[in-house]
Amino acid sequence: MPSETFRTHSEEETIALGRALGVRLRGIVLLIGNLGAGKTTLTKGIVEGQGAAPADAVSSPTFTLVHQYGEDVFHVDLYRLDETREVETLGLNDLFDSGSLVILEWAERFPELMPAERTEIRIRTLADDSREIVVLAS
Ligand code: ADP
Ligand code: MG
C-alpha cells in the first residue's frame, strides 16, 4: 500500500494540507483519528481544494450525518450511529457508486459497509499538539 506521511503544526496548516490533497483525492476517503484529531479541519481544506465550497462553509455533520458541497462532494460523520442497520438507511452505497468524493469520519466503526477500494487518512495528535497525517491509498 503506498503511503505518504505529513506533519502539521496548526489548524491552518492542516487546512492547507487538506487543500493540497483535495485537488487530487477521488472516491471514498476514510478519515481515522480520535475526537479532536482534526478530521473535520482537514475536510475543510479538502472541500476547498476540490473547489466545492470555501473552507469556512464546512462544518461537522455530527448531527445531520451527511453534508453535501457543490454537486459531488459529500462529508459523512457516523459518530452518533451505533448499529449497522442505522448506517444502511443513509444510502451510502448509492453515494459510493455515484463517482462523488465521499469523505467519512468514524467509518472504520462499520468496516463491513466500506468498499475495499478507498483512501485512508490517519491523523494522530503528537505531544506538542502537532498532527501526524498518514495518507494510505488502497
Ligand atoms: P475531529 O473532526 O477529528 O473530531 P476537529 O477537526 O473538529 O476534530 O477539531 C480539531 C481541533 O484541534 C480544532 O479545535 C483545532 O483548532 C485543533 N487543532 C490544534 N492543532 C491542530 C492541528 N495541527 N491540526 C488540526 N487541528 C488542530
Ligand atoms: Mg469531526
Side-chain angles (χ1 to χ4, degrees):
M1 229 195 234
S3 82
E4 293 171 280
T5 302
F6 303 91
R7 180 126 175 227
T8 64
H9 298 85
S10 67
E11 183 176 341
E12 291 71 26
E13 275 188 35
T14 297
I15 292 173
L17 173 64
R19 209 181 287 126
L21 295 173
V23 171
R24 60 172 161 99
L25 284 173
R26 299 285 179 269
I28 291 93
V29 178
L30 270 55
L31 300 183
I32 303 173
N34 292 338
L35 208 59
K39 302 179 293 299
T40 299
T41 302
L42 189 71
T43 302
K44 287 173 182 277
I46 294 173
V47 169
E48 189 164 287
Q50 284 275 316
D56 283 351
V58 176
S59 60
S60 178
T62 306
F63 295 97
T64 42
L65 309 180
V66 183
H67 284 169
Q68 180 175 7
Y69 299 99
E71 282 288 299
D72 53 14
V73 177
F74 293 86
H75 181 202
V76 181
D77 189 338
L78 301 179
Y79 184 71
R80 298 189 69 84
L81 299 185
D82 292 318
E83 306 205 10
T84 298
R85 58 180 174 74
E86 295 177 291
V87 181
E88 281 169 344
T89 65
L90 295 178
L92 290 182
N93 282 330
D94 291 338
L95 272 190
F96 293 160
D97 292 342
S98 69
S100 298
L101 178 68
V102 187
I103 305 157
L104 302 109
E105 301 188 30
W106 300 104
E108 73 278 14
R109 295 175 56 229
F110 304 96
E112 69 283 6
L113 300 180
M114 295 302 128
E117 193 179 318
R118 66 193 188 213
T119 302
E120 289 188 9
I121 302 181
R122 297 179 173 267
I123 308 177
R124 206 157 58 90
T125 304
L126 304 180
D128 59 356
D129 228 33
S130 66
R131 304 294 194 269
E132 182 193 73
I133 300 175
V134 180
V135 181
L136 293 151
S138 61

